[in-house]
Amino acid sequence: MSLSVMLHQLISGMGITVEIFCVTLICSLPLGLLVCFGRMSKNVIIRSIVSAYISIMRGTPLMLQLMVVYFGPYFIFGIRISRGYSLIAVFIAFTINYAAYFAEIYRGGIESMSVGQYEAAQILGYSKVQTFFRIILPQVIKRILPSVTNEVITLVKDTSLAFVVAVAEMFTIAKQIASSQTTMMPFVIAAVFYYIFNLIVAIVMERVEKKLDYYR
């Protein structure tokens, strides 16, 4: 197999990898904030349920969660799995997994804010919603960016787990080519891709962090 043919096959897998990354990030960041609200709820039942969800998501392997989401509909409810469901299962499993991690990051950022800011906002006539979204959240985002960056970089590498449910992302294709052609070149190309992808993520997040560095 020529290098050009190999690259052509790997590029198709790269597209799936980027798609998994983008969908997971777009869905898990806002969902994580909602989960955070549930985790910090004054309602004991809601707080207990959300705490259990976070504990399970963080305490079990993502690979296992992928298999549960993929095979669960058939084994539990007897629903036949279509071929297109594998990618949807990846989106669901990745989103609910990363939402749990982001929720705890959000919670840490919110709880680090001083009570005085809430009191000052109340004196100025801000409602609780206005206080959170106009005063607290912008500062929280600045504080949690390093932690979010670490999770985003981990997400880039975790996309390779999609092979568990037969999604042909880049690592899966690289493994197939390496096995059939008995060459390490696909793995080298995959390693370069992951490194560049993570480098881009790190550079973008660093620039965002500098733009939000309004304390200096």
Side-chain angles (χ1 to χ4, degrees):
M1 181 184 293
S2 65
L3 183 61
S4 60
V5 175
M6 186 184 300
L7 284 172
H8 179 73
Q9 292 185 13
L10 287 171
I11 286 171
S12 65
M14 290 176 190
I16 299 297
T17 296
V18 173
E19 185 178 357
I20 294 170
F21 172 83
C22 292
V23 171
T24 301
L25 206 58
I26 290 170
C27 295
S28 62
L29 282 171
L31 179 59
L33 186 58
L34 291 175
V35 174
C36 173
F37 292 151
R39 176 70 173 80
M40 300 176 69
S41 174
K42 293 180 180 180
N43 186 302
V44 177
I45 297 175
I46 294 175
R47 189 171 65 248
S48 299
I49 293 173
V50 173
S51 297
Y53 154 73
I54 292 174
S55 179
I56 292 170
M57 290 297 105
R58 298 175 69 194
T60 57
L62 176 55
M63 184 182 294
L64 176 61
Q65 295 166 20
L66 273 167
M67 297 178 72
V68 170
V69 173
Y70 182 70
F71 294 108
Y74 178 75
F75 289 136
I76 299 173
F77 304 107
I79 301 173
R80 291 190 175 276
I81 301 171
S82 63
R83 291 184 178 180
Y85 177 67
S86 56
L87 186 57
I88 296 174
V90 170
F91 292 154
I92 294 172
F94 271 70
T95 296
I96 61 176
N97 177 275
Y98 273 86
Y101 284 92
F102 286 136
E104 288 297 274
I105 292 174
Y106 283 129
R107 185 172 69 87
I110 293 170
E111 291 183 345
S112 70
M113 304 302 296
S114 65
V115 178
Q117 298 205 39
Y118 293 94
E119 294 174 346
Q122 187 177 8
I123 292 172
L124 291 171
Y126 283 87
S127 66
K128 289 184 178 180
V129 175
Q130 288 175 325
T131 299
F132 180 78
F133 285 102
R134 292 186 180 182
I135 298 175
I136 303 301
L137 187 59
Q139 296 180 68
V140 168
I141 291 173
K142 168 65 180 69
R143 294 187 180 192
I144 67 174
L145 266 179
S147 298
V148 170
T149 300
N150 288 336
E151 288 301 319
V152 172
I153 289 174
T154 301
L155 172 59
V156 173
K157 294 177 286 187
D158 277 351
T159 56
S160 61
L161 293 175
F163 80 91
V164 174
V165 292
V167 172
E169 43 70 56
M170 191 194 58
F171 179 73
T172 303
I173 294 177
K175 188 170 62 173
Q176 291 172 349
I177 296 174
S179 178
S180 62
Q181 302 296 317
T182 60
T183 174
M184 286 293 293
M185 185 56 67
F187 291 136
V188 173
I189 295 172
V192 171
F193 167 76
Y194 284 119
Y195 177 75
I196 292 175
F197 197 170
N198 273 324
L199 185 62
I200 292 171
V201 168
I203 291 172
V204 169
M205 296 299 283
E206 185 178 354
R207 289 186 177 181
V208 171
E209 190 172 349
K210 286 181 179 179
K211 285 188 176 182
L212 293 176
D213 198 6
Y214 39 75
Y215 293 115
R216 295 182 181 178

